[in-house]
Amino acid sequence: MNDNNIQLQHFILNEQKRFPYAKGDFTLLLSDIILAGKIISREVNKAGLVEILGLTGMENVQGEQVQKLDDFANSSFLNILSKNESVGGVASEEMAEPDYFTNHTKARYCVLFDPLDGSSNIDVNVSIGTIFSIYKLLKEGECTENDFLRKGSEQVAAGYILYGSSTMLVFTTGEGVHGFTLDASLGEFLLSHEDMKIPEPSKRYYSVNEGNFKYWEKNVQEYVEYLKNSEKPYSLRYIGSLVSDFHRNLIYGGIFMYPLDHKNPEKPKGKLRLMYEANPLALIAKHAGGKASNGIDDILEIKPIEIHQREPLYIGTKSFVNEAIAFINGGKK
Ligand code: AHM
Ligand code: MG
């Protein structure tokens, strides 16, 4: 390891000094999230081997239950965070209700996470990710549903871990966005992308599941037609894993969208979850100079009504998101 390699733990400790509210417990909380990420990363990496070794039955060779990866990721987070006294409660995309740790009487934070996002890609060796979001409790030692049902702008930190060709952690505590790559031989995340910014002007990429075209509203259809037929057409890149699609656009520039659709004509809706997916990535986008919107409102300014709320999402290069908003609202044809 050369002297320029900055370990994540050291970086976080240095960051902490800049925040008056952050005591050692905030650093410990981030460390726990990182630990969960490392454990999940290890498991994701051996997922292919599990198939080859024929361990996909109910028990592995040690006689242990083989869990589905998304359940494994969820319980890894739960196990670790339930032992962290600074955490008053957690909400997960995989759980119907939040878990409250009522014995954590000095708790100062609550955590929301999508333990393994990109479910359709889990079994096919395509990049997936974990997304997390941290809020400060409204009242120390007392975590209630109101602590979770808050605007994304109130998040004190958010990030994701991408299990790709290498494992990367990208996070913000409200002061820049930083990326760390896991050195598997050391078991450490090392700073690889300091102060990430979405390029502006950027390459012209768009990421969307165009198979849903017929279910979109007319203005959204016109917008996507424009992207393909404008003088300098945009290129399409769609992985189908939000973390991967977002990460790509964070580095190269571009817009990711999951519009409102009318698959159920009586109940048109977006697919992605405000609290576990849109909010944390919107905070990262904001601090990287980008933007996130549901087509009308800034994602970070939406006051959630329920914990598993879904929203349409347009996120990425600021000027692209603004252009999308103009189309959706009929201001650009
Ligand atoms: P999940 O939480 O069940 O994994 O669903 C979220 C995923 C995102 O990662 C991705 O952006 C989107 O669903 C893809 O959906 P689709 O397969 O409809 O394109
Ligand atoms: Mg998800």
Side-chain angles (χ1 to χ4, degrees):
M1 188 167 69
N2 78 46
D3 289 345
N4 294 325
N5 287 337
I6 300 180
Q7 280 181 36
L8 178 57
Q9 242 82 349
H10 295 177
F11 185 88
I12 294 170
L13 275 169
N14 278 338
E15 285 263 292
Q16 184 186 298
K17 289 183 197 144
R18 298 217 302 265
F19 302 105
Y21 64 81
K23 300 184 187 153
D25 57 356
F26 184 69
T27 303
L28 206 60
L29 171 55
L30 283 175
S31 303
D32 274 353
I33 289 172
I34 292 155
L35 175 63
K38 282 185 196 171
I39 292 172
I40 297 166
S41 173
R42 191 184 60 191
E43 214 61 20
V44 167
N45 283 333
K46 64 184 202 210
L49 281 176
V50 168
E51 286 281 334
I52 293 163
L53 300 174
L55 302 180
T56 47
M58 291 310 284
E59 287 191 349
N60 67 14
V61 279
Q62 283 90 33
E64 296 159 345
Q65 293 278 319
V66 177
Q67 275 183 299
K68 280 177 64 203
L69 264 183
D70 38 6
D71 292 339
F72 175 86
N74 193 57
S75 45
S76 300
F77 263 93
L78 266 185
N79 283 341
I80 290 174
L81 295 181
S82 64
K83 294 187 185 89
N84 185 320
E85 306 236 318
S86 72
V87 181
V90 294
S92 160
E93 198 194 284
E94 296 290 326
M95 308 189 311
E97 299 292 335
D99 237 10
Y100 298 102
F101 308 137
T102 46
N103 55 332
H104 294 179
T105 52
K106 296 239 160 56
R108 300 204 306 140
Y109 302 100
C110 64
V111 183
L112 297 100
F113 52 87
D114 182 350
L116 211 51
D117 182 69
S119 45
S120 67
N121 284 323
I122 293 178
D123 292 333
V124 289
N125 211 0
V126 171
S127 301
I128 44 185
T130 292
I131 313 173
F132 63 89
S133 157
I134 304 175
Y135 288 83
K136 222 167 151 239
L137 294 183
L138 297 165
K139 192 165 168 226
E140 191 172 312
E142 232 183 79
C143 182
T144 70
E145 196 182 31
N146 289 338
D147 288 295
F148 294 108
L149 293 178
R150 284 150 75 190
K151 291 181 185 174
S153 56
E154 292 183 50
Q155 295 170 102
V156 290
Y160 60 80
I161 301 154
L162 170 65
Y163 312 106
S165 44
S166 50
T167 295
M168 261 198 86
L169 167 78
V170 174
F171 77 101
T172 182
T173 50
E175 293 264 333
V177 173
H178 308 290
F180 292 77
T181 302
L182 183 65
D183 181 327
S185 61
L186 294 171
E188 294 285 355
F189 279 102
L190 303 176
L191 182 61
S192 52
H193 298 67
E194 194 170 4
D195 199 12
M196 299 171 86
K197 294 281 176 231
I198 301 181
E200 180 89 67
S202 79
K203 292 188 178 164
R204 293 159 80 82
Y205 285 116
Y206 75 109
S207 311
V208 67
N209 182 348
E210 249 184 283
N212 291 330
F213 190 91
K214 75 171 188 176
Y215 301 113
W216 295 337
E217 308 208 311
K218 194 163 158 288
N219 287 352
V220 175
Q221 291 177 334
E222 282 175 1
Y223 167 56
V224 172
E225 287 297 348
Y226 151 80
L227 294 177
K228 297 195 286 192
N229 296 307
S230 75
E231 206 179 310
K232 268 170 61 196
Y234 286 58
S235 289
L236 171 64
R237 295 285 184 277
Y238 191 67
I239 300 162
S241 283
L242 177 60
V243 173
S244 317
D245 280 310
F246 175 82
H247 185 72
R248 188 174 204 291
N249 290 338
L250 174 64
I251 290 179
Y252 289 144
I255 180 166
F256 171 93
M257 62 196 114
Y258 210 108
L260 181 91
D261 71 51
H262 287 255
K263 274 184 192 155
N264 176 353
E266 267 139 53
K267 255 189 164 181
K269 59 177 172 60
K271 174 180 183 186
L272 300 174
R273 318 280 182 142
L274 176 63
M275 311 295 293
Y276 313 106
E277 292 162 333
N279 267 341
L281 298 189
L283 194 74
I284 291 173
K286 177 183 167 188
H287 291 290
K291 183 167 175 164
S293 167
N294 66 359
I296 300 167
D297 298 312
D298 191 317
I299 288 288
L300 294 171
E301 292 308 322
I302 299 172
K303 172 86 175 90
I305 297 161
E306 53 133 351
I307 200 118
H308 292 294
Q309 187 164 327
R310 296 173 192 266
E311 287 292 333
L313 178 64
Y314 298 82
I315 189 166
T317 302
K318 194 184 262 177
S319 56
F320 296 171
V321 175
N322 285 336
E323 190 171 51
I325 295 169
F327 264 94
I328 293 161
N329 294 291
K332 202 162 173 182
K333 292 265 146 98

